[in-house]
Amino acid sequence: MNEQQKILDTLLSLPLFQVCDEETLRTLAGRARIVRAEKGKVLFLSDDEAQAFYIVLSGWVKLYRETIDGTQAIVDIMTTGHMVGETSIFESGRYVSSAEVADECVYIRLPIDFLAREVKSNSDFAFAMLSSMARYRKQQDKEIEHRTIQNASQRIGCFLLRLVDPKHEGPVVVTLPYDKTLVASRLGMQPETFSRALSKLKTITGIRVKGAQIEMDGVDALVSYSCSACSTEFPCQGTE
Amino acid sequence: MNEQQKILDTLLSLPLFQVCDEETLRTLAGRARIVRAEKGKVLFLSDDEAQAFYIVLSGWVKLYRETIDGTQAIVDIMTTGHMVGETSIFESGRYVSSAEVADECVYIRLPIDFLAREVKSNSDFAFAMLSSMARYRKQQDKEIEHRTIQNASQRIGCFLLRLVDPKHEGPVVVTLPYDKTLVASRLGMQPETFSRALSKLKTITGIRVKGAQIEMDGVDALVSYSCSACSTEFPCQGTE
DNA sequence: CGAGGGTTTGAAGTGCATCAAATAGTGTGG
DNA sequence: CCACACTATTTGATGCACTTCAAACCCTCG
């Protein structure tokens, strides 16, 4: 399958683009490129003038903000199906955070001018984009809540639960999606704290940790430990 | 001036509604009510079925999420010109957080069905709403950053700076917009911590605190103390 | 096999929370 | 205008959670 066809198929698989005219998408796909990149590749920096937005096909892209002295705050970590950089069209055409590949990654790079045009001319598209924006907003609200009222171990528990299929019952094995250092910063803590908090979670809830694999007999122990300190009940669906 | 006219004028003064047909707004205004409410009045609770959205005319409304044991996490605090509850249209018609009057407040209560209809039929409106959503998203991203890398005193300094007119130069007096306990929870800390962190900020930056009034000879001291631990330079425009 | 990154562990320090109590500030009724 | 009640704010003492710095360990990959 050629690259353009692959891009077109991807677009058609995303709810946001399903409301677009196929001809429009074909043109868009013609102006897009699939990119394979290694960890560390910078997609864009905060305040850069936006030329493109991105759709992640596989792997992980981290969004972060950075102070002058180099301290980073992870804003979010995106993966398959997520859009990156699209909000620049509402911010005078500049990116509001930096984006970098966190783990070997394939993504589509698309011209940003398409977005602004489509949002203005296709109200279904605007509505779909609003929905995805609203979902994101809800997620960020939850994130603030988590960081305010959950301790480190509870946040880890909550993170693990969001990796479990909510319909699943009985014993589960989940795999951490990226390295522990990154999970730590995603959850707003230091790697050392993560390591210790995970041990604590182990003794409290009886989960078993084998490298990046985490086994448990069921979600109940985690749920009762983590979700008690949260306004949302399991399944939390914090997105991602 | 009668109530409907006042509502109509308010709507016309907000960028979001300026893109609407005046006749449509007149109808909307006819279905809206101005409400005066005291501290503690609940506008809605998380998960309630949404009947209305709100526009704050004066005073303060806090958005919060609450765990079963009653612990609250303040998500945001809204004031003049802010919309509240509007995202419910993207969340199967349910509110995603609770809202309560934090300080004597006047607001307009409008029927929610208008929003969904207008977003779908008026693409300028959809675009305007996207812009406001994007602004909010940016603000929340910043909030997460602040809570991750700023300490309590720096967050207070940052909060104070956002109360200062960015174009202002020389000595300034700012007034805390609501009581210190609420400012504390807005910034994700305990009242006691707020009090101590404010004293610390006083000795570090030379600001003078007189009740809710805070005087300083200039913003520089605050800027160099608070903004150094932030990716955004002053004026930060964290909104609000 | 050795280098280098990721991860864990240890020791020590800091910041914030918590509980308790004092103080200041505000509004009320007399 | 004062005394009282009530709330907001501050202060003190203490403990825990998380960070920091340092070092060891582990694993993977050239």
Side-chain angles (χ1 to χ4, degrees):
Chain A
M1 180 173 17
N2 71 23
E3 180 165 321
Q4 282 201 25
Q5 188 59 45
K6 169 115 206 243
I7 294 173
L8 188 57
D9 288 350
T10 304
L11 293 177
L12 286 169
S13 73
L14 294 170
L16 178 62
F17 293 95
Q18 280 164 10
V19 299
C20 297
D21 191 83
E22 187 162 337
E23 197 45 44
T24 309
L25 289 184
R26 205 174 294 278
T27 312
L28 174 63
R31 300 178 55 213
R33 290 290 170 272
I34 293 182
V35 182
R36 261 155 261 273
E38 298 297 309
K39 176 168 181 169
K41 156 92 179 186
V42 173
L43 274 63
F44 52 78
L45 293 174
S46 183
D47 272 342
D48 275 0
E49 202 167 318
Q51 307 288 342
F53 71 104
Y54 303 83
I55 296 170
V56 181
L57 293 178
S58 67
W60 299 89
V61 172
K62 69 171 179 182
L63 296 180
Y64 62 97
R65 315 178 114 250
E66 202 166 24
T67 64
I68 303 173
D69 67 14
T71 314
Q72 288 186 355
I74 301 292
V75 171
D76 207 351
I77 294 175
M78 317 300 263
T79 187
T80 309
H82 289 168
M83 249 195 310
V84 177
E86 81 282 14
T87 48
S88 59
I89 60 170
F90 306 108
E91 304 290 345
S92 5
R94 294 187 175 273
Y95 298 115
V96 295
S97 63
S98 305
E100 180 180 311
V101 172
D103 209 359
E104 198 169 357
C105 185
V106 182
Y107 57 83
I108 309 178
R109 182 180 195 279
L110 307 105
I112 191 81
D113 56 0
F114 163 83
L115 270 190
R117 236 182 309 114
E118 190 70 7
V119 162
K120 281 179 183 148
S121 65
N122 179 345
S123 66
D124 288 338
F125 187 80
F127 188 81
M129 194 142 164
L130 268 167
S131 301
S132 87
M133 209 89 132
R135 201 172 324 117
Y136 188 85
R137 172 172 170 165
K138 185 181 174 183
Q139 185 195 334
Q140 294 295 71
D141 282 357
K142 259 186 211 165
E143 190 59 36
I144 291 179
E145 175 188 348
H146 286 158
R147 300 223 184 166
T148 308
I149 58 190
Q150 286 187 319
N151 66 30
S153 295
Q154 289 169 329
R155 290 211 296 281
I156 296 174
C158 178
F159 182 82
L160 296 178
L161 286 172
R162 278 175 277 156
L163 298 172
V164 177
D165 175 4
K167 287 186 290 292
H168 185 92
E169 289 183 20
V172 205
V173 180
V174 301
T175 304
L176 293 179
Y178 29 81
D179 70 50
K180 293 184 180 179
T181 305
L182 190 57
V183 176
S185 52
R186 161 72 182 75
L187 297 174
M189 63 187 83
Q190 301 301 314
E192 296 95 328
T193 303
F194 179 85
S195 173
R196 287 186 252 259
L198 185 58
S199 305
K200 189 178 154 198
L201 192 65
K202 208 160 55 178
T203 61
I204 292 177
T205 66
I207 61 174
R208 294 173 294 282
V209 180
K210 291 175 185 159
Q213 308 275 330
I214 291 160
E215 303 174 9
M216 58 194 101
D217 297 329
V219 295
D220 295 359
L222 276 185
V223 168
S224 77
Y225 177 66
S226 290
C227 302
S228 64
C230 185
S231 70
T232 318
E233 283 153 40
F234 181 79
C236 175
Q237 293 302 44
T239 305
E240 153 176 337
Chain B
M1 179 173 18
N2 71 25
E3 181 165 320
Q4 284 202 25
Q5 187 59 45
K6 168 116 206 241
I7 295 173
L8 188 57
D9 288 351
T10 304
L11 293 176
L12 287 169
S13 74
L14 294 170
L16 178 61
F17 294 95
Q18 281 165 9
V19 300
C20 296
D21 191 83
E22 186 160 339
E23 197 46 43
T24 309
L25 288 184
R26 207 175 291 279
T27 312
L28 174 62
R31 300 178 56 212
R33 290 288 171 271
I34 293 182
V35 181
R36 260 157 262 273
E38 299 297 310
K39 176 170 181 169
K41 156 93 178 186
V42 173
L43 273 63
F44 52 77
L45 293 175
S46 182
D47 272 341
D48 275 1
E49 203 168 317
Q51 307 288 342
F53 71 103
Y54 303 83
I55 296 170
V56 181
L57 294 178
S58 67
W60 299 89
V61 172
K62 68 171 179 183
L63 295 181
Y64 61 97
R65 314 179 115 249
E66 201 165 24
T67 64
I68 303 174
D69 67 13
T71 314
Q72 289 187 356
I74 301 293
V75 170
D76 206 352
I77 294 175
M78 317 299 262
T79 187
T80 309
H82 290 168
M83 250 195 310
V84 176
E86 81 281 13
T87 49
S88 59
I89 61 171
F90 307 108
E91 304 290 344
S92 7
R94 294 188 175 272
Y95 298 114
V96 294
S97 64
S98 305
E100 180 181 310
V101 172
D103 209 0
E104 198 168 357
C105 184
V106 182
Y107 56 84
I108 308 179
R109 182 181 195 278
L110 308 104
I112 192 81
D113 56 1
F114 162 84
L115 271 190
R117 236 181 308 115
E118 190 70 8
V119 162
K120 281 178 183 149
S121 64
N122 179 346
S123 66
D124 289 338
F125 187 80
F127 188 81
M129 195 142 164
L130 269 167
S131 301
S132 88
M133 209 88 134
R135 202 172 322 117
Y136 188 84
R137 171 171 171 166
K138 185 181 175 184
Q139 184 194 336
Q140 294 296 71
D141 282 358
K142 260 186 211 165
E143 189 61 35
I144 291 178
E145 175 189 347
H146 287 158
R147 300 223 184 164
T148 307
I149 57 191
Q150 287 187 319
N151 66 28
S153 296
Q154 288 169 328
R155 290 211 296 281
I156 295 174
C158 178
F159 182 82
L160 295 178
L161 286 172
R162 278 175 278 154
L163 297 173
V164 178
D165 174 5
K167 287 186 291 293
H168 185 93
E169 290 184 18
V172 205
V173 180
V174 299
T175 304
L176 294 178
Y178 29 81
D179 68 50
K180 293 184 178 177
T181 305
L182 190 57
V183 176
S185 52
R186 161 73 183 74
L187 297 175
M189 64 187 82
Q190 299 303 311
E192 296 94 328
T193 303
F194 178 85
S195 174
R196 286 185 252 260
L198 185 58
S199 306
K200 190 178 154 199
L201 192 65
K202 208 160 54 175
T203 61
I204 292 177
T205 65
I207 60 175
R208 293 173 295 281
V209 179
K210 291 175 183 159
Q213 308 275 331
I214 291 160
E215 302 174 9
M216 58 193 102
D217 297 330
V219 296
D220 296 359
L222 275 186
V223 168
S224 78
Y225 177 66
S226 290
C227 303
S228 64
C230 186
S231 69
T232 319
E233 284 155 39
F234 182 79
C236 174
Q237 292 304 41
T239 305
E240 150 179 341

